[in-house]
Amino acid sequence: MITLRPVEASDIDAFFSHQLDPSANHMAAFGAKNPSDRGVFDHHWQDILNDSKITVRTILSDGEVVGSILAYHHDATPEISYWIDRSRWGQGITTAAVGQFLNEVTQRPIRARAVADNASSIRILERWGFQQVGETQGFAPARGAVVRELILELP
């Protein structure tokens, strides 16, 4: 069973562990340049948790912390972002979590971004009604290269 709940301090250790996976970093692309730097990671999460404009939830699968999902404001439009433990990819967890989160965060339009070659994430977003509205290019620290990023929107 997939559930969402507010982030607890103990979740941060699991989040750190999840983002150490090289394949997950490659797919996310815009993670930290050095994902093993715990100080940078903790500072980043402290900023997230202290920002009242960000809605953030821990994703649980049968009570186990398997990821996080959040909405932050990019300009005036909220954007969602998520990270799931790579060992749990392909189990429907992200799809279920995005659906639950969209029921909680109801402001529309809402956007999401995905690297153009991240077909799984794009497919999940499209399943919930997101449509591509643009694209951009940016330097992806986790890849050490400029990548094409799709901008998707749920009207």
Side-chain angles (χ1 to χ4, degrees):
M1 178 157 97
I2 308 307
T3 55
L4 304 180
R5 66 158 165 74
V7 175
E8 298 174 357
S10 61
D11 299 340
I12 303 301
D13 288 336
F15 298 165
F16 181 72
S17 175
H18 299 160
Q19 62 94 45
L20 289 174
D21 183 275
S23 294
N25 271 286
H26 180 80
M27 291 313 293
F30 290 94
K33 181 179 181 179
N34 178 5
S36 65
D37 188 330
R38 183 63 191 247
V40 169
F41 178 85
D42 287 343
H43 180 77
H44 173 72
W45 269 95
Q46 199 60 47
D47 285 349
I48 290 170
L49 295 173
N50 287 335
D51 189 333
S52 62
K53 296 177 189 165
I54 297 177
T55 302
V56 60
R57 298 291 178 259
T58 295
I59 303 168
L60 303 163
S61 177
D62 296 325
E64 177 187 347
V65 174
V66 296
S68 62
I69 188 166
L70 59 85
Y72 63 96
H73 278 77
H74 185 266
D75 298 322
T77 305
E79 288 194 16
I80 67 168
S81 181
Y82 42 82
W83 193 295
I84 306 297
D85 180 4
R86 189 172 77 88
S87 71
R88 307 306 294 269
W89 290 2
Q91 299 176 20
I93 293 169
T94 308
T95 301
V98 169
Q100 289 180 35
F101 194 70
L102 290 171
N103 285 332
E104 179 180 350
V105 178
T106 58
Q107 182 180 345
R108 302 292 183 268
I110 188 167
R111 291 190 176 150
R113 295 170 182 256
V115 178
D117 64 4
N118 189 341
S120 295
S121 191
I122 294 165
R123 191 171 41 253
I124 289 165
L125 294 164
E126 288 175 341
R127 177 171 181 185
W128 289 108
F130 283 81
Q131 300 170 353
Q132 184 178 343
V133 295
E135 66 178 63
T136 187
Q137 290 190 356
F139 181 77
R143 295 187 182 188
V146 173
V147 297
R148 189 167 63 101
E149 186 178 34
L150 303 183
I151 303 167
L152 299 107
E153 183 175 278
L154 179 62

